[in-house]
Amino acid sequence: MDGYPAIEDHGLIGDLQTAALVTCDGSIDWFCAPRFDSPSVFAALLDREKGGFFRIAPDDVRYVTKQLYQPDTPILITRFISADGVAEIIDYMPVAGERPTDQHRLVRMVRMIRGSMRFKLECRPRFNYGRDQHELEVHPEGYVFRSPALSLTLNPVHPVPKLIRERDVDNDGHDLVGRVTLQEGETGGIVLETGSLRPPRFIPGEEIAAMFERNIEFWRRWLDRSTYGGRWREMVERSAITLKLMTYAPTGAMIAAPTAALPEQIGGTRNWDYRYTWIRDTSFSVHALLGLGFTDEASRYVNWLDERVREAGDNAAPLKIMYRVDGSSDLHEEILDHFEGYRGSGPVRIGNGAADQLQLDIHGEALYAMHLADEQGIRPSHQVWRSTVRLVDWLCHNWDQPDAGIWESRHHPRNYTYGRLMSWVAFDRAIRLANRHGRPGDINRWIQQRDTIYNQIMERGYHLGRRSFVQSYGEPVLDASLLIMPAVGFVTPTDPLWRSTLEAIEDDLVSDSLVHRYDPAAAPDGLPGDEGTFNMCTFWYVSALAGAGRLDDARLTFEKMFTFSSNLRLYAEEIALTGEQIGNFPQAFSHLALITTALHLNELLDARKR
């Protein structure tokens, strides 16, 4: 189990259709193609022996390494500093466009800044999660790794293809190993390409330079559209770029994370595949992106969401909780028994069996997003509204039943308070949308259902003994998801019931400003083991503190969270007791919550200053 880099010791690069993770020692140890949710080409992140990787690093040299992003871009720079010299690798993926394609490029340029250094290149792909064999084809100007379903072409950069000039194919004939010494001022480069329709070629340096400049221009032009000018701008903009990298350009859908099966506890079994689009994440992303002024992206997310609402409404069925980026919903879960998992954390799961769970809250999040978008002029069409009415009418019959909850419990269903809360939001926002534009709908019935839910939560969701709203009816278990109650308008931040709830959550779930989702020992979720604190919940806690008027506490807690980010300002799903990041990485929900919290807290701090 040795040899795995820390989860936070990775940088994310991508082309808006797929992505790769690059370690701080120059190894690409996670890459799936042609889409985020496709089988892996490199997966050493999940099995260092069988997963495959592409590493360029100093050979037999003692060095320290640092990573940073080219400002305002996702172009990753990995620097190697030794007594003999300083070198850097520049990694990026040219934007693939808005049409689905099998052709994706990974550009790796090695530049010797000072002195000299010997490098070793190892390209060891393991296609289809290491289940497919491949052959290595040697061509006059490069190499092709060919498996039954996918090819990977290695193109040297001309005129100095030094990284493979002194080359050696390892003894099984299927992987590529090269060694070279670079002198000060020299550059070597490789362009890996999936699904190429032409043989390998020497790529001219001018072509690489133009590609690099186009990439910088694309990202800086995109970021210039941000309207955010408040505190913590660097953190907010890095989060925005990260979310953009996790967006599938052909449909506008955002994945929860680009990785699969990274553990919520080292050695534990809570290892899920997050390379899909959750209705919940998409809905909250609309809030974050509209707040930053990215109305085009928000509009595309809403269009994707509208299609899912139409499918559900037209079939008189609930929304699925997650979908593939193309909108399909076949997410069959399976275990990769041949992979040991990150640092021995098995099982390694791909697919996601939670896709077929009933989670009532997602209807509220969907209507919440539609309502926010409508306020910014992104209005539902007639057909989408008709489907929305059918969906809300379905909810009238079905909201009052046990479900799996926001945390996707694999235990027996419960009457989760959060599910009822967001069902209240669904009816409330549907009523507002109908009244705002005079749209048809059984508004009187919706009002009656909304008010019934409100009264039920107040009677059964508030535990007198705990003096708190609780996770599920009749159980004295707290849940950090309820931190969102004031934000959606269910209670005011100064309501005594809410103030006592916030105090109870602080006593039970907050650990030095970090927030646990709930206590699995008190509320079994069907899985063994424990987990870390949940980053999204910590950001929600900051917003709750701010809303309650505790602005100084909120700001300190918010800025403490920055100390838990990676060196590149990225966040996984959770923080372990040791302070390291755990869970899939980077996590969209963490970055979405960071943005919305920054917007809210900045507004309240400005108001106090005025």
Side-chain angles (χ1 to χ4, degrees):
M1 292 186 293
D2 295 333
Y4 286 93
I7 289 173
E8 64 259 36
D9 285 346
H10 288 85
L12 178 70
I13 60 174
D15 66 2
L16 307 186
Q17 293 192 22
T18 187
L21 265 62
V22 186
T23 71
C24 60
D25 69 349
S27 180
I28 296 176
D29 64 1
W30 183 255
F31 174 58
C32 300
R35 293 193 326 201
F36 295 110
D37 57 353
S38 297
S40 64
V41 177
F42 303 122
L45 184 62
L46 298 179
D47 193 299
R48 70 197 190 288
E49 299 294 335
K50 301 174 185 176
F53 61 91
F54 178 25
R55 186 178 186 218
I56 303 174
D59 187 30
D60 291 329
V61 177
R62 293 176 62 87
Y63 61 88
V64 295
T65 180
K66 306 284 185 182
Q67 280 187 318
L68 71 154
Y69 279 117
Q70 184 96 11
D72 303 332
T73 79
I75 297 172
L76 183 66
I77 303 171
T78 304
R79 291 173 61 81
F80 300 102
I81 304 168
S82 75
D84 297 325
V86 176
E88 60 187 27
I89 301 176
I90 300 173
D91 286 303
Y92 64 96
M93 296 181 68
V95 175
E98 296 187 356
R99 292 185 178 182
T101 178
D102 291 343
Q103 295 175 267
H104 301 274
R105 291 170 293 174
L106 287 159
V107 180
R108 312 205 72 188
M109 298 298 297
V110 184
R111 186 165 58 189
M112 198 67 217
I113 306 299
R114 174 175 58 79
S116 66
M117 200 175 290
R118 183 172 175 81
F119 284 88
K120 181 180 181 181
L121 176 151
E122 294 180 87
C123 191
R124 302 181 184 274
R126 297 293 182 265
F127 296 91
N128 188 20
Y129 307 109
R131 296 181 294 193
D132 288 354
Q133 297 296 316
H134 71 270
E135 297 295 330
L136 176 62
E137 300 174 359
V138 180
H139 291 255
E141 296 188 0
Y143 302 85
V144 177
F145 301 89
R146 197 174 300 280
S147 76
L150 190 69
S151 66
L152 183 67
T153 300
L154 190 152
N155 304 285
V157 175
H158 195 70
V160 192
K162 284 202 165 188
L163 287 179
I164 57 169
R165 188 182 63 185
E166 301 175 33
R167 58 190 179 270
D168 172 45
V169 178
D170 74 357
N171 55 18
D172 70 4
H174 300 301
D175 297 329
L176 185 68
V177 178
R179 290 177 172 83
V180 67
T181 298
L182 292 182
Q183 304 295 331
E184 185 171 323
E186 290 186 329
T187 300
I190 297 291
V191 178
L192 280 184
E193 187 172 10
T194 64
S196 177
L197 302 177
R198 58 187 176 186
R201 65 189 179 98
F202 289 135
I203 299 181
E206 312 84 70
E207 183 178 333
I208 291 292
M211 192 185 303
F212 180 76
E213 291 302 322
R214 284 196 301 272
N215 207 262
I216 288 180
E217 181 183 5
F218 172 88
W219 286 101
R220 290 183 174 168
R221 190 171 64 243
W222 178 80
L223 195 60
D224 281 346
R225 290 166 41 207
S226 171
T227 58
Y228 185 78
R231 303 166 180 84
W232 317 294
R233 181 172 175 177
E234 192 171 355
M235 294 294 294
V236 167
E237 291 185 345
R238 180 51 56 189
S239 289
I241 291 172
T242 303
L243 295 175
K244 180 71 170 174
L245 282 173
M246 289 190 276
T247 301
Y248 185 65
T251 63
M254 179 186 293
I255 58 170
T259 56
L262 288 179
E264 296 175 17
Q265 181 184 39
I266 301 301
T269 62
R270 300 166 185 262
N271 317 317
W272 313 112
D273 189 348
Y274 277 10
R275 298 171 298 158
Y276 309 112
T277 299
W278 269 250
I279 290 290
R280 190 178 298 115
D281 295 44
T282 297
S283 300
F284 285 119
S285 72
V286 171
H287 187 190
L289 292 166
L290 286 174
L292 298 181
F294 292 115
T295 53
D296 289 347
E297 282 72 16
S299 180
R300 297 207 69 201
Y301 297 154
V302 170
N303 290 339
W304 184 91
L305 177 62
D306 286 348
E307 287 298 313
R308 309 291 80 77
V309 169
R310 287 185 60 179
E311 292 166 0
D314 293 350
N315 292 310
L319 286 165
K320 295 269 189 182
I321 70 166
M322 71 181 90
Y323 300 83
R324 294 186 181 273
V325 289
D326 61 3
S328 61
S329 56
D330 176 19
L331 277 71
H332 172 70
E333 184 173 301
E334 61 178 304
I335 292 174
L336 302 180
D337 289 321
H338 60 290
F339 276 0
E340 70 171 3
Y342 176 79
R343 292 174 59 186
S345 302
V348 172
R349 295 184 179 91
I350 57 172
N352 200 309
D356 294 322
Q357 289 183 344
L358 175 65
Q359 296 181 21
L360 292 166
D361 66 279
I362 60 173
H363 304 94
E365 283 131 2
L367 267 296
Y368 182 70
M370 291 176 66
H371 176 258
L372 287 173
D374 185 82
E375 289 182 324
Q376 300 296 319
I378 306 171
R379 295 175 178 171
S381 67
H382 168 66
Q383 183 58 52
V384 169
W385 178 251
R386 288 182 59 190
S387 300
T388 302
V389 169
R390 295 190 190 103
L391 188 63
V392 176
D393 287 343
W394 177 92
L395 194 60
C396 287
H397 295 285
N398 292 279
W399 66 263
D400 195 13
Q401 62 176 305
D403 71 335
I406 180 177
W407 308 129
E408 299 170 5
S409 171
R410 301 205 175 191
H411 200 48
H412 62 79
R414 291 186 173 94
N415 292 309
Y416 284 103
T417 305
Y418 184 81
R420 302 299 198 278
L421 168 70
M422 296 311 292
S423 294
W424 176 89
V425 170
F427 289 119
D428 183 73
R429 286 357 183 235
I431 293 163
R432 296 190 199 188
L433 283 166
N435 286 333
R436 183 181 297 156
H437 302 299
R439 294 285 181 91
D442 195 347
I443 297 177
N444 289 333
R445 184 186 185 196
W446 296 351
I447 292 173
Q448 185 268 326
Q449 296 293 319
R450 180 195 64 184
D451 294 349
T452 298
I453 296 173
Y454 180 90
N455 291 326
Q456 186 188 92
I457 291 175
M458 288 301 183
E459 292 168 7
R460 300 177 62 190
Y462 187 86
H463 195 283
L464 293 175
R466 297 304 308 268
R467 297 184 66 245
S468 174
F469 291 103
V470 289
Q471 184 183 71
S472 59
Y473 293 170
E475 300 182 30
V477 178
L478 302 185
D479 194 307
S481 66
L482 300 178
L483 288 165
I484 205 170
M485 294 179 92
V488 298
F490 185 84
V491 296
T492 65
T494 56
D495 190 302
L497 296 179
W498 173 247
R499 286 188 178 275
S500 62
T501 297
L502 182 57
E503 291 172 2
I505 288 175
E506 286 181 306
D507 290 342
D508 269 34
L509 300 180
V510 178
S511 175
D512 187 31
S513 81
L514 299 175
V515 182
H516 291 273
R517 294 188 293 180
Y518 57 94
D519 180 0
D525 54 15
L527 294 164
D530 210 333
E531 61 179 20
T533 57
F534 208 75
N535 292 332
M536 176 184 70
C537 293
T538 302
F539 288 124
W540 284 358
Y541 172 54
V542 172
S543 282
L545 288 173
R550 296 167 56 184
L551 287 178
D552 292 333
D553 291 342
R555 182 168 187 175
L556 178 59
T557 301
F558 192 47
E559 297 197 4
K560 278 186 178 181
M561 267 301 287
F562 296 164
T563 70
F564 291 101
S565 76
S566 76
N567 180 60
L568 296 171
R569 298 178 176 83
L570 303 180
Y571 286 94
E573 184 179 23
E574 301 180 12
I575 304 295
L577 288 174
T578 57
E580 67 181 320
Q581 303 217 30
I582 51 176
N584 284 302
F585 178 86
Q587 175 81 1
F589 239 156
S590 299
H591 290 277
L592 287 167
L594 185 153
I595 291 171
T596 54
T597 300
L599 290 165
H600 182 216
L601 183 55
N602 192 73
E603 180 182 359
L604 293 178
L605 288 170
D606 283 350
R608 183 172 72 174
K609 182 181 292 187
R610 289 194 296 269

